[in-house]
Amino acid sequence: FPGITASVCNLRPTSRGALTLRSPDTKDPPAIDPNYLDTPRDRAVAASSLRLARRLVLGNASSSSSSSSSRFAAKYAPSEHAPGAHLESDEDLARAAGDIASSIFHPVGTCAMGASPALPTCSGRAGSSVGELPHGAVVDPALKVFGVANLRVADASVMPSITSGNTNSPTLAIAEKAAEMLLRDHARDHNQMQTRLGGGGGGG
């Protein structure tokens, strides 16, 4: 049947998932737990977002309002297919959001940047609210992995919290900054080696 999909997105989720190792075997895939809608705030946002989508699409065909949603409703007489007009409470709408929602594939923070290294935890979760890193970080501000020599991470996983929008451009900026730091460090190391080589006295 003809229809449209009105999508809503929580740009600042407070729920925190986990990415953990299953075993010491590198061939075993990691355990991924998105943990969506874990916090009361995220569930409230989900419920209010579905209500907003209803108002925008369904409008009020019997109203004399000249709003775009009302004109749309009067012209097309839309009816709700999902999650279902019978769902009205915050609890029901939040549950429905979990049932019909999908990821937009922008996870971040599994190698979060910070000033101090992460501590071992049972859950492996990065935090309980936006910007929090109670268990520390994985990489330092130069993108170097704590405790591992000569290893940096330069992708969306270093973001301590998700951006309010697509992660593509911020990830490109992280990569550009990483390249700049690598070139700078290489030039510094090269100059130091030249200095050491040139510092020795010649004999003949």
Side-chain angles (χ1 to χ4, degrees):
F1 57 88
I4 63 170
T5 298
S7 297
V8 293
C9 175
N10 184 350
L11 292 180
R12 286 288 183 176
T14 55
S15 298
R16 289 293 178 265
L19 176 65
T20 55
L21 299 179
R22 295 180 187 272
S23 75
D25 188 349
T26 57
K27 295 180 181 179
D28 284 346
I32 303 174
D33 175 18
N35 203 37
Y36 298 133
L37 301 177
D38 181 57
T39 65
R41 181 177 181 274
D42 284 358
R43 292 192 291 273
V45 169
S48 62
S49 297
L50 288 175
R51 288 195 179 95
L52 175 61
R54 282 174 170 170
R55 290 199 302 272
L56 292 175
V57 176
L58 300 178
N60 186 352
S62 62
S63 171
S64 60
S65 170
S66 61
S67 68
S68 297
S69 59
S70 295
R71 293 197 302 272
F72 176 88
K75 181 175 181 179
Y76 296 104
S79 61
E80 182 175 334
H81 178 69
H86 62 288
L87 301 176
E88 297 182 352
S89 71
D90 285 356
E91 293 77 12
D92 287 343
L93 288 173
R95 189 179 304 110
D99 292 339
I100 65 175
S102 62
S103 166
I104 53 174
F105 310 110
H106 294 157
V108 304
T110 52
C111 292
M113 181 193 305
S116 59
L119 301 175
T121 65
C122 293
S123 67
R125 302 192 188 283
S128 57
S129 64
V130 172
E132 283 191 0
L133 290 173
H135 303 308
V138 176
V139 301
D140 67 14
L143 304 179
K144 296 178 180 179
V145 177
F146 287 109
V148 182
N150 302 317
L151 178 63
R152 301 192 203 216
V153 178
D155 58 29
S157 67
V158 305
M159 299 180 188
S161 59
I162 196 167
T163 54
S164 294
N166 197 294
T167 54
N168 180 264
S169 292
T171 302
L172 292 176
I174 291 169
E176 291 278 359
K177 185 64 176 179
E180 178 185 303
M181 290 188 292
L182 286 168
L183 290 173
R184 182 194 62 205
D185 290 355
H186 174 74
R188 181 200 61 206
D189 294 344
H190 178 74
N191 290 336
Q192 289 177 347
M193 181 174 292
Q194 291 291 93
T195 300
R196 287 196 299 269
L197 290 174

